[in-house]
């Protein structure tokens, strides 16, 4: 049984906790919030025993194996180091941190302390993602040619919320653009060239960003993200002998369809009664049970490569988070 704690009981944490209840070898034992009353409400809803009115107090929990960090982006670095230095395993929401320097220190600390650490790229562990990789690796659609993926929704404009607030690490790229970038990396690896453009709003964060990536093997990735429109949220992987379409919304999809050059198709469906977070929870539990310090499916090297891509895109579009990029 893995005893979990949560730092930051917000919207995503509710989904995580709901799915955690469906995992046989996991239970929620602790919740930490800047508001003790909020932590107590969350704990009552999901059966946690311990509640804390500050993030820092959770490391004092006497029954804790791993912590899921769901605080705002700007807190990921500090809260991860807090737990790692206390010898507590960490599953930290994406983006892992604000930049490459922070992620590098997180990884260095985890390895120095011999403590498990993983970025919560939950899409990596979905059955649809696993099936997509299986199809590609089988050679069924031939050599990879490219990836096309989008993620967009019309976000309520509130400068006090993370999405549009630069002080909280806001902007479409870090919030949702990370998903298409993740998929391109998972399928095609690291690009040789990145070009990107963005539209900035009044709060100086990117409200829409488009990216074109090219690779040594003459492949491409066309990616985009936006807070300004409800886009299809589809993903396509193109090969020389066919293509794969991951159903909308592809980052949480339950089906993939393969279309071959002879126009025949195959659809693979993976129904679930959950949000889909249980798969990453099961991965962490399995790693901890096996004594592993990182996941082989989404390694710390993968996280470093992904944050490096995000940094490269930010450099292309001129998105600077002053309090962090000057560290």
């Amino acid at each position: 049984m893995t005893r979990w704690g949560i730092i930051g009981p917000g919207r995503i944490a509710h989904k995580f906790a709901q799915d955690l209840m469906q995992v046989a070898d996991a239970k929620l034992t602790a919740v930490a919030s800047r508001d003790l009353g909020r932590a107590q409400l969350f704990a009552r809803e999901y059966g946690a025993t311990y509640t804390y009115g500050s993030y820092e107090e959770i490391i004092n929990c006497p029954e804790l194996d791993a912590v899921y960090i769901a605080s705002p982006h700007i807190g990921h670095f500090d809260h991860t180091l807090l737990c790692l230095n206390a010898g507590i395993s960490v599953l930290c929401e994406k983006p892992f941190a604000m930049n490459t320097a922070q992620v590098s220190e997180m990884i260095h600390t985890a390895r120095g302390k011999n403590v498990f650490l993983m970025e919560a790229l939950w899409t990596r562990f979905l059955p649809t993602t696993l099936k997509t990789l299986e199809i590609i690796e089988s050679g069924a659609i031939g050599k990879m040619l490219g990836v096309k993926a989008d993620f967009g929704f019309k976000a309520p404009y509130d400068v006090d919320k993370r999405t549009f607030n630069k002080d909280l690490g806001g902007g479409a790229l870090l919030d949702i653009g990370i998903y298409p970038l993740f998929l391109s990396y998972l399928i095609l690896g690291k690009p040789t060239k990145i070009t990107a453009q963005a539209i900035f709003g009044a709060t100086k964060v990117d409200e829409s960003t488009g990216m074109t990536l090219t690779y040594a093997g003459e492949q491409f990735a066309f990616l985009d993200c936006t807070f300004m429109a409800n886009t299809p949220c589809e993903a396509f992987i193109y090969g020389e002998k066919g293509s794969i379409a991951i159903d909308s919304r592809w980052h949480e999809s339950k089906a993939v369809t393969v279309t071959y050059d002879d126009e025949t198709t195959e659809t693979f469906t993976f129904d679930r009664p959950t949000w889909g977070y249980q798969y990453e929870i099961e991965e962490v539990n399995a790693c901890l049970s096996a004594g592993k310090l990182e996941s082989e499916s989404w390694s710390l090297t993968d996280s470093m490569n992904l944050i490096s891509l995000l940094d490269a895109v930010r450099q292309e579009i001129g998105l600077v988070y002053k309090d962090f990029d000057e560290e």
Side-chain angles (χ1 to χ4, degrees), residues 172-174 177-178 180-181 184 191-200 206-214 221-225 308-319:
L173 177 64
L174 291 190
I178 188 173
L181 205 54
S184 68
T192 53
K193 185 178 181 181
I194 297 173
T195 57
Q197 291 185 319
I199 296 173
F200 290 85
D206 67 305
E207 296 180 351
S208 300
T209 294
M211 299 159 272
T212 299
L213 286 64
T214 51
F222 299 142
L223 318 170
D224 62 86
C225 59
S308 298
L309 293 177
L310 287 166
D311 279 2
V313 174
R314 287 207 291 119
Q315 185 173 10
E316 273 285 300
I317 64 177
L319 177 58

Side-chain angles (χ1 to χ4, degrees), residues 14-315:
H14 275 280
K15 293 182 177 181
F16 182 89
Q18 289 162 22
D19 283 4
L20 185 73
M21 296 174 75
Q22 306 303 314
V23 179
D25 58 346
K27 66 176 181 178
L28 183 64
T29 60
V31 183
S33 172
R34 291 171 293 184
D35 180 335
L36 180 58
R38 189 179 185 191
Q40 290 171 338
L41 283 173
F42 194 99
R44 280 198 293 271
E45 185 171 355
Y46 301 109
T49 304
Y50 302 93
T51 56
Y52 302 96
S54 74
Y55 297 145
E56 292 73 21
E57 292 178 84
I58 198 169
I59 64 171
N60 299 318
C61 179
E63 300 179 52
L64 192 60
D65 301 308
V67 168
Y68 170 60
I69 295 173
S71 53
H73 302 162
I74 59 171
H76 291 178
F77 173 72
D78 289 336
H79 300 148
T80 294
L81 292 186
L82 171 75
C83 295
L84 292 176
N85 284 317
I88 300 168
S89 298
V90 171
L91 174 66
C92 180
E93 258 305 333
K94 54 82 197 162
F96 218 11
M98 291 300 294
N99 55 35
T100 302
Q102 287 190 338
V103 171
S104 178
E105 186 170 344
M106 289 159 60
I107 293 173
H108 178 77
T109 301
R111 288 174 174 164
K113 297 285 185 178
N114 289 319
V115 181
F116 179 87
L117 174 63
M118 190 178 94
E119 184 178 14
L121 246 303
W122 64 297
T123 303
R124 172 63 181 87
F125 303 98
L126 293 179
T128 46
T129 302
L130 301 183
K131 189 63 179 181
T132 296
L133 292 175
E134 178 188 314
I135 295 165
I136 292 169
E137 290 165 5
S138 74
I141 62 169
K143 178 187 173 183
M144 288 297 93
L145 298 179
V147 172
K148 182 180 179 182
D150 74 287
F151 196 152
F153 66 94
K154 201 164 187 177
Y157 189 78
D158 185 343
V159 296
D160 294 324
K161 296 293 178 66
R162 185 194 70 243
T163 46
F164 292 99
N165 191 321
K166 196 170 189 180
D167 292 337
L168 296 178
L173 177 64
L174 291 190
D175 200 68
I176 55 177
I178 188 173
Y179 283 106
L181 205 54
F182 149 76
L183 185 65
S184 68
Y185 168 75
L186 184 67
I187 303 299
L188 300 173
K190 296 169 70 173
T192 53
K193 185 178 181 181
I194 297 173
T195 57
Q197 291 185 319
I199 296 173
F200 290 85
T203 61
K204 308 301 181 184
V205 300
D206 67 305
E207 296 180 351
S208 300
T209 294
M211 299 159 272
T212 299
L213 286 64
T214 51
Y215 300 81
E218 298 185 342
Q219 296 112 340
F220 66 85
F222 299 142
L223 318 170
D224 62 86
C225 59
T226 183
F227 283 153
M228 307 309 293
N230 295 316
T231 68
C233 295
E234 296 172 333
F236 302 92
I237 297 99
Y238 302 103
E240 287 185 334
K241 299 192 293 184
S243 63
I244 302 170
I246 308 177
D247 281 10
S248 180
R249 295 192 316 161
W250 70 264
H251 75 292
E252 58 184 9
S253 183
K254 298 178 182 179
V256 297
T257 297
V258 187
T259 301
Y260 300 100
D261 280 354
D262 63 2
E263 299 185 358
T264 59
T265 64
E266 281 187 290
T267 297
F268 303 91
T269 302
F270 305 90
D271 289 326
R272 62 175 187 267
T274 64
W275 298 104
Y277 292 91
Q278 79 270 23
Y279 303 111
E280 66 176 359
I281 296 169
E282 290 168 353
E283 173 70 9
V284 175
N285 287 357
C287 287
L288 294 181
S289 295
K292 296 179 180 179
L293 298 180
E294 61 183 283
S295 167
E296 295 174 5
S297 297
W298 187 252
S299 69
L300 296 177
T301 298
D302 290 327
S303 290
M304 176 60 78
N305 288 339
L306 183 58
I307 194 68
S308 298
L309 293 177
L310 287 166
D311 279 2
V313 174
R314 287 207 291 119
Q315 185 173 10

